[in-house]
Amino acid sequence: MLKLFNTLTGRQDVFEPIEPKHVRMYVCGVTVYDYCHIGHARSALVFDVLRRYLEYSGYAVTFVKNFTDVDDKIIKRANEQGVSCETVTQKFIQAYYDDMGKLGVRQASVEPKATEHMAETIELTNTLLRKGLAYQIEGDVYFDVARYPEYGTLSKRKLEDLQAGARVEVDERKHHPMDFALWKKSKPGEPSWSSPWGPGRPGWHIECSAMSIRYLGETFDIHGGGMDLIFPHHENEIAQSCGATSQHFAKYWVHNGFVQINKEKMSKSLGNFFTIREIFAKSEWSDAITGEILRYFLLSTHYHGPLDFSDQALKEAKSALNGFYDLFGRLAESEDKTIADPDLDLAIDRCQAGFRAAMDDDMNTPAAIAALQGLRNDVNKLVGVGLSTESRKLARQVFRSLGTVMGLFQLERWDFNVRIEPKPADLVGTAFPPAVTAAKQMTPEEIDGKVAERIEAKKRKDFKRADEIRAELKSSGITVEDKPDGTSRWKR
RNA sequence: GGCGCCGUACCCAAGUGGUAAGGGAGCAGUCUGCAAAACUGCGAUGCAGCGGUUCGAACCCGCUCGGCGCCUCCA
């Protein structure tokens, strides 16, 4: 029984979808005017995992995630670079897919763009005008917050409080300082669509109402996004949507916490952000491994709390994953002992129960990871006692299937995918300080040759030569492990 | 001024009334030609501080200290 912290009610609520076995969820995507940073990665990943867990739990999930592709910042960026808004948005939508793809974030069922839903946006605005919840001034249309008594329910704010703290210059024409634009008259050179109020473009909040209603209906299950969207974005979405439809909007509101640098929010203005592509470029590991490290790191803290990004945190995630992949390597070897096979079933049951309980508890990924660590420990012990080849495959399969929910443990081999090509000099030694310079990296074939040579040396009892080879490999970042049967395995 | 979050071992991090998960790092041991991995053991008499409620509190209440976020575009 899944429980989710619901911002709307301020507590954990038992999740019950409106339609049995079908979940409809909407998540606010990104405004495509720049590259995504780790904070965007966290948000995308949190809802990717929620979606995966709902599917794992047997629900069909209709997942809608939008692109905001008309916005002041996009216009500004386009003007700075002397290109069209489409050029900007296309570039960063592609970059989004590249980056999120490397992170293993699955695409949503529908990924609508604001610019492709003008008809719905205009219709919704019209409805709000007709119902007297909005007013028109010189080609602009504003939502009239004073006419919507429930305003502030989500963010637990009162209009009076907001007024007292308002720091922005207030447009004198507005009825109330908190009234927000549904439709903005376009200035010359700006993107523009014809409307009953003249040429213009939608306000920021209305697109999400229009697109969520379009694809999920007037009432749906889950609406998600970063904490910073609670006010004003989501508050305004509720006002517009409920105002227009007179129906409930989203039932559960889920918000993820921020990624921080040294306890401060990662943000453009502070200049303390890392883009996703920057992390991948600086990593000494292959994209597949780097992606898994980032996922492990981002999921090692509960989604609701803050998460501090650092080199050390990434290293710890890497070390923790090494333990799993070391075990997977042992499991890949054949054996016909069956002594511990019955115990394996017990260990698997325990892990699955723990995993499910953790995820049901407001998607507690750190506790879910702890359950997987528990199974790692159990299986390591059982392998020592003796597991059949079939049981070894089963154990690996359990890690793979539970790992699917979090996007972990899907790689065949952890160590064969190390990046060989050299990195640009200015990228070395930052996010992932390389243990070995690119020049000293060896190919798997070269390593296999060295390992074979060392085994020959060992057979001759030439331990001096064997140790030399081991040291040589070590300097290239290769660790050789001798097995009891005289053969060896290696890893990076 | 209003609203809200956080403070758990060297580091990261679960736990929100029943006597401190897990990971990383470290130390010791078993195993090993040596290593690595794995396993075993050690490690917070205490959960920012001070009071209070309770048979019992990291968890509830109050106050204090410290850090942060939102109220303006922001995942």
Side-chain angles (χ1 to χ4, degrees), chain A residues 297-353:
Chain A
F297 160 67
L298 291 168
L299 296 172
S300 64
T301 297
H302 184 82
Y303 79 87
H304 206 252
L307 190 167
D308 228 59
F309 180 80
S310 67
D311 286 357
Q312 191 193 325
L314 293 181
K315 281 185 203 153
E316 289 185 3
K318 169 69 166 54
S319 297
L321 282 164
N322 281 345
F324 285 102
Y325 278 94
D326 280 340
L327 172 60
F328 301 159
R330 295 176 76 191
L331 289 174
E333 292 157 11
S334 294
E335 193 170 271
D336 54 12
K337 290 182 190 167
T338 59
I339 305 163
D341 282 8
D343 294 328
L344 178 65
D345 293 334
L346 294 174
I348 288 172
D349 288 346
R350 190 162 54 234
C351 174
Q352 284 176 331

Side-chain angles (χ1 to χ4, degrees), chain A residues 178-243:
Chain A
M178 292 317 296
D179 289 350
F180 54 91
L182 299 172
W183 190 261
K184 293 174 164 179
K185 183 170 74 178
S186 55
K187 302 188 187 86
E190 289 185 353
S192 152
W193 289 263
S194 61
S195 80
W197 322 286
R201 56 192 169 94
W204 174 38
H205 317 293
I206 192 77
E207 56 169 88
C208 286
S209 293
M211 293 188 282
S212 56
I213 291 170
R214 161 82 165 75
Y215 293 102
L216 297 173
E218 292 177 346
T219 303
F220 54 93
D221 299 299
I222 298 171
H223 194 127
M227 292 277 190
D228 46 0
L229 297 182
I230 295 171
F231 191 90
H233 184 55
H234 288 163
E235 194 69 61
N236 292 354
E237 271 189 62
I238 291 175
Q240 292 160 349
S241 304
C242 296

Side-chain angles (χ1 to χ4, degrees), chain A residues 355-465:
Chain A
F355 181 86
R356 179 165 280 275
M359 292 299 281
D360 274 346
D361 182 18
D362 195 25
M363 205 161 66
N364 191 335
T365 50
I369 287 173
L372 290 160
Q373 290 283 8
L375 182 62
R376 179 176 79 90
N377 183 257
D378 288 340
V379 174
N380 262 318
K381 277 185 241 180
L382 297 177
V383 166
V385 176
L387 282 177
S388 65
T389 299
E390 280 309 304
S391 286
R392 286 161 178 260
K393 284 182 182 165
L394 171 66
R396 180 67 183 90
Q397 182 51 39
V398 170
F399 282 107
R400 198 180 286 276
S401 67
L402 291 180
T404 300
V405 176
M406 297 197 278
L408 301 175
F409 313 141
Q410 303 303 305
L411 301 177
E412 261 329 295
R413 287 283 306 257
W414 186 239
D415 45 6
F416 277 3
N417 297 305
V418 172
R419 158 149 61 194
I420 302 295
E421 72 273 18
K423 288 186 289 187
D426 62 327
L427 290 179
V428 171
T430 39
F432 280 103
V436 180
T437 60
K440 293 178 86 171
Q441 297 247 11
M442 297 171 74
T443 65
E445 293 70 29
E446 290 170 326
I447 296 162
D448 286 338
K450 290 289 181 189
V451 170
E453 187 188 337
R454 181 169 167 280
I455 288 171
E456 287 308 309
K458 275 176 65 185
K459 281 182 185 163
R460 295 193 309 270
K461 302 280 181 198
D462 184 356
F463 296 119
K464 184 168 175 293
R465 178 61 191 148

Side-chain angles (χ1 to χ4, degrees), chain A residues 237-281:
Chain A
E237 271 189 62
I238 291 175
Q240 292 160 349
S241 304
C242 296
T245 68
S246 303
Q247 302 294 315
H248 288 296
F249 190 43
K251 197 170 167 189
Y252 304 92
W253 288 81
V254 180
H255 294 98
N256 66 275
F258 297 126
V259 175
Q260 309 180 321
I261 302 288
N262 294 325
K263 309 289 185 189
E264 285 187 317
K265 179 182 175 182
M266 186 184 282
S267 75
K268 301 262 161 125
S269 53
L270 287 168
N272 62 349
F273 62 94
F274 292 88
T275 63
I276 298 171
R277 55 187 46 211
E278 181 182 13
I279 301 298
F280 276 96

Side-chain angles (χ1 to χ4, degrees), chain A residues 38-96:
Chain A
I38 306 297
H40 298 112
R42 185 181 191 195
S43 186
L45 189 54
V46 162
F47 293 103
D48 182 51
V49 171
L50 177 56
R51 183 250 201 117
R52 289 169 185 249
Y53 185 62
L54 289 167
E55 289 178 349
Y56 173 83
S57 302
Y59 295 106
V61 180
T62 303
F63 178 28
V64 180
K65 180 162 62 181
N66 72 294
F67 285 111
T68 296
D69 63 344
V70 53
D71 168 87
D72 289 347
K73 290 189 292 298
I74 295 169
I75 296 168
K76 182 163 176 274
R77 181 60 54 97
N79 289 340
E80 283 168 3
Q81 303 187 341
V83 298
S84 69
C85 287
E86 293 72 48
T87 306
V88 171
T89 59
Q90 278 173 19
K91 174 182 174 182
F92 291 112
I93 286 173
Q94 188 54 51
Y96 175 91

